[in-house]
Amino acid sequence: MNYLEIKDLRAQIEDKEILRGLNLTIPKGEVHAIMGPNGSGKSTLSKVLAGHEDYEVTSGSAILDGEEILGMKPDAISRLGLFLAFQYPLEVPGVSIANFIRAALQGRLAENETIDAVGYYKDLYGCMDELGIDRKFTSRSVNEGFSGGEKKRCEILQMAMLKPKYCILDETDSGLDIDALKIVAKGVNQMRNPDRGILVITHYQRLLEYIIPDKVHVMWEGGIALTGGKELALELEAKGYDWVREELVA
Amino acid sequence: MIQPTQIDIDRDKGNFRYETDYQYDAGVGLREEVVQYISEVKGEDEWVRDYRLKALKTFYRKPMPTHWATKDLENIHFDKIRYYLAKGQKPSRTWEDVPDDVKETFERLGIPEQERKFLAGVEAQFDSEAAYSRMKVELEKEGVIFVGSSDGLKDHPEIFRKWFGKVIPASDNKFSALNSAVFSGGSFIYVPPGVKLAQPLQAYFRINAENFGQFERTLIIADEGAELTYMEGCTAPKFETATLHSAVVELVAMRGAKIQYITVQNWSNNVFNLVTKRAMAHEESEVRWIDCNIGSRLTMKYPGVILKGRKARGEVLSIALANDGQHQDTGAKMVHAADETTSNIIAKSISIGKGRSSYRGLVQIPGHLSNCRNNTECDALLINANSRTDTYPAITVRGNGNAVQHEASVSKLNAEQIFYMRQRGLTEAEAVSLSVNGFVNDLIREFPMEYSVELKRLIDMEMEGSVG
Ligand SMILES: Nc1ncnc2c1ncn2[C@@H]1O[C@H](COP(=O)(O)OP(=O)(O)OP(=O)(O)O)[C@@H](O)[C@H]1O
Ligand SMILES: [Mg+2]
């Protein structure tokens, strides 16, 4: 029950197969990292899991705590407990961060329940302080006019507020300065617990110095080509992806 | 009591049937006798009757504005319309006949019981006498006149005659001529010098069948330094039986006066809503039109301000929402006619599905004036592939000391944005609603509190049917 288990996942877009029989299991309590060259399908994997309707799943399954999520609507998957921090977060003009997160939380409650405003702001400000986000941001429109780094922090803020069971962070470290990287890593580490599985997608082993992964996977042409411990990231950084290609041919 | 006859007011909505007291029914079609008859029933003075008759001739003479406006106007059959319906008409419809979805809409909008029946056409009268008379006493103490159009012309000609038809002459356009010929209902308001009304005046307090009529006529005069807010319409859907609505609203702000005129209207899909609204702003006065149009088959409405006195200020804030089968052709007119006058136009339109919104703006600043300023912003949001929007700004600014700023944007509700929002757990409908609310948010903030809440709810409901 306590797994996000992906089996033989194949998915395509516009008749182009991107995911080609991918297998991956993320147990609760663990942090896994995926590395892999540009275009290997990392973001595609995260969007397919989140229920993006542009992708056609042609085979396989993705079981979240015993429930098949492939074919479910994005909002239903979200409410089941899957969170995706986007590689490119979108702007929502005119909708403040505070209202956006509040609407998302409200959507998780039963129809007759409402969020306690005082408690909500207390949590929100608490999370913002931890992530070094100025409280003034609560009234700014979601991601509108944010710098790259601010967008990424805002993703982590949402994640912290929604308390998902499984988190996928798609290149959350890209575009962050060193201080921001440390803050974001701290935010993720605080969310590490036995009831939560985390998948970080990254190009840089540096992030993995702050968020120590239990496992590292290498994605290659729509599948997981290699799996190892945290040292695999170091090896990749030293040898580059040509090394993976040679390994695969061998 | 004269024998009632059954008449079908609108065959498209055949379940709306009224019994009418035909003593007060002017019959079908528009002839001189009809106008004579209306004037007679209302017991009007000769000058009013003559004004009507002259306007009728103007109406006949004027061509339809189809050279610039939509051809759909040609589908109005003037000879099939009833131009005057009796007061106290008794609908034969019962609450049981009202469709469930309509009832549900009332429920969700939180419309009070009594008003629901009126709005659904079950009752011809909405009994607000108590609230109205309480208010009337208060107003009379201040010397405020707040009456129906006919009473205003009859009982206070010394005040209203001077301005009636002056801001908007009957000959302004074909529909102002029509209204001038057959008007009934609407409000005439006079606020004496220096009187500042804290509470908004609402047409609502004087609701009755005639008041919510097809050819309302409203004239509001704020004397020197006076201030008032007037609200017309309501967010509740009006289940209209009459397809042509053509109101004329004239505002006069004397030196230093402030008028804010708020309209929120939610018409049913069969209505042609062709309205002329204009204000005359004297020295250092301020006029603000807040206009919110939802529904209707075709709305054509361009509230305007003639900035006649130095330092006068005019403003139009408008929101239009066009769903499938609807066309919102709205905008604003700012005619600068004195130095140091300023105007501001913010127009936001939302088009859903096959809905269509057009913005028409007219800003005139002649060359001999100085230090005039206009700011125009119009933003359109398109939801779903088929929707359409067009912008027709006409800005004539001459003279060196004058400035205009014009910004226009068209955005499409982005599928990736909706996916992003759904990934956070919002349903598709919630995501669309929240985005649309975000689009109009900064404008809605300008609305009085109770209106902004209702409006948001209304937009949410309008969205629900259109996605997913
Ligand atoms: N909408 C689309 N239409 C066509 N091809 C697409 C579409 N979306 C993704 N692809 C293709 O799918 C492949 C995988 O893209 P994806 O974004 O998953 O790669 P990635 O591993 O996340 O790369 P990066 O490291 O650059 O973020 C790419 O070749 C990309 O061009
Ligand atoms: Mg990617």
Side-chain angles (χ1 to χ4, degrees), chain A residues 78-79 84 108 155 158, chain B residues 416 420 422-426:
Chain A
S78 166
R79 290 193 297 266
L84 170 60
R108 287 163 165 74
E155 294 291 283
Q158 293 173 48
Chain B
E416 289 303 309
Y420 180 71
R422 293 177 77 189
Q423 208 300 305
R424 300 310 185 233
L426 302 174

Side-chain angles (χ1 to χ4, degrees), chain A residues 69-87:
Chain A
I69 56 171
L70 297 179
M72 279 174 74
K73 289 193 186 308
D75 40 298
I77 297 170
S78 166
R79 290 193 297 266
L80 260 191
L82 183 87
F83 181 92
L84 170 60
F86 282 56
Q87 182 173 0

Side-chain angles (χ1 to χ4, degrees), chain A residues 73, chain B residues 384 422 427-429 432 463-468:
Chain A
K73 289 193 186 308
Chain B
N384 295 348
R422 293 177 77 189
T427 63
E428 188 174 13
V432 172
M463 289 301 125
E464 268 175 27
S466 62
V467 286

Side-chain angles (χ1 to χ4, degrees), chain B residues 174-218:
Chain B
K174 191 168 180 76
F175 293 97
S176 62
L178 176 65
N179 176 282
S180 298
V182 300
F183 71 89
S184 59
S187 305
F188 273 39
I189 296 172
Y190 170 77
V191 184
V195 173
K196 298 179 166 64
L197 298 178
Q199 292 298 319
L201 297 179
Q202 301 198 31
Y204 223 52
F205 283 121
R206 301 186 39 255
I207 274 179
N208 57 43
E210 189 185 304
N211 199 280
F212 245 154
Q214 295 171 257
F215 304 102
E216 285 174 42
R217 182 86 192 197
T218 290

Side-chain angles (χ1 to χ4, degrees), chain A residues 13-14 16 18 37-44 55 87 171 203:
Chain A
I13 187 160
E14 288 160 13
K16 181 178 164 198
I18 314 277
N38 296 133
S40 56
K42 303 179 299 294
S43 293
T44 302
Y55 298 91
Q87 182 173 0
E171 294 197 29
H203 285 295

Side-chain angles (χ1 to χ4, degrees), chain B residues 56-271:
Chain B
L56 181 67
K57 293 214 176 76
T58 309
F59 169 75
Y60 286 142
R61 207 178 56 238
K62 286 238 163 210
M64 278 294 222
T66 42
H67 57 292
W68 58 270
T70 167
K71 293 268 173 290
D72 196 20
L73 284 174
E74 284 165 6
N75 296 317
I76 301 174
H77 300 292
F78 292 104
D79 53 341
K80 293 198 180 132
I81 290 170
R82 277 173 194 280
Y83 291 87
Y84 184 69
L85 288 171
K87 8 180 167 170
Q89 44 186 316
K90 285 208 172 53
S92 64
R93 196 173 210 227
T94 67
W95 184 243
E96 282 66 48
D97 299 331
V98 178
D100 285 341
D101 59 324
V102 171
K103 287 181 184 166
E104 197 190 312
T105 305
F106 287 145
E107 191 70 45
R108 298 182 53 192
L109 282 171
I111 308 287
E113 206 67 45
Q114 193 59 35
E115 293 168 47
R116 292 182 196 188
K117 292 193 173 151
F118 171 77
L119 291 163
V122 173
E123 271 168 21
Q125 295 277 339
F126 160 61
D127 187 12
S128 61
E129 275 307 312
Y132 175 50
S133 48
R134 231 181 300 123
M135 192 175 82
K136 230 172 107 181
V137 173
E138 290 295 306
L139 291 175
E140 272 166 8
K141 265 195 278 181
E142 305 260 33
V144 175
I145 302 170
F146 181 16
V147 294
S149 56
S150 300
D151 294 343
L153 293 175
K154 213 181 322 180
D155 303 338
H156 308 279
E158 73 288 356
I159 289 170
F160 294 112
R161 189 173 176 176
K162 185 174 168 204
W163 290 107
F164 176 70
K166 294 299 182 334
V167 185
I168 303 171
S171 59
D172 187 79
N173 64 75
K174 191 168 180 76
F175 293 97
S176 62
L178 176 65
N179 176 282
S180 298
V182 300
F183 71 89
S184 59
S187 305
F188 273 39
I189 296 172
Y190 170 77
V191 184
V195 173
K196 298 179 166 64
L197 298 178
Q199 292 298 319
L201 297 179
Q202 301 198 31
Y204 223 52
F205 283 121
R206 301 186 39 255
I207 274 179
N208 57 43
E210 189 185 304
N211 199 280
F212 245 154
Q214 295 171 257
F215 304 102
E216 285 174 42
R217 182 86 192 197
T218 290
L219 171 59
I220 298 175
I221 300 163
D223 214 327
E224 293 196 1
E227 292 181 12
L228 84 145
T229 294
Y230 183 79
M231 302 205 221
E232 81 170 345
C234 57
T235 50
K238 271 283 284 162
F239 299 93
E240 273 307 315
T241 50
T243 49
L244 175 61
H245 285 252
S246 191
V248 165
V249 178
E250 298 175 286
L251 309 183
V252 181
M254 302 305 285
R255 186 199 179 99
K258 285 187 188 168
I259 302 178
Q260 176 162 257
Y261 191 106
I262 304 168
T263 307
V264 175
Q265 250 150 359
N266 185 10
W267 298 103
S268 51
N269 259 350
N270 56 335
V271 168

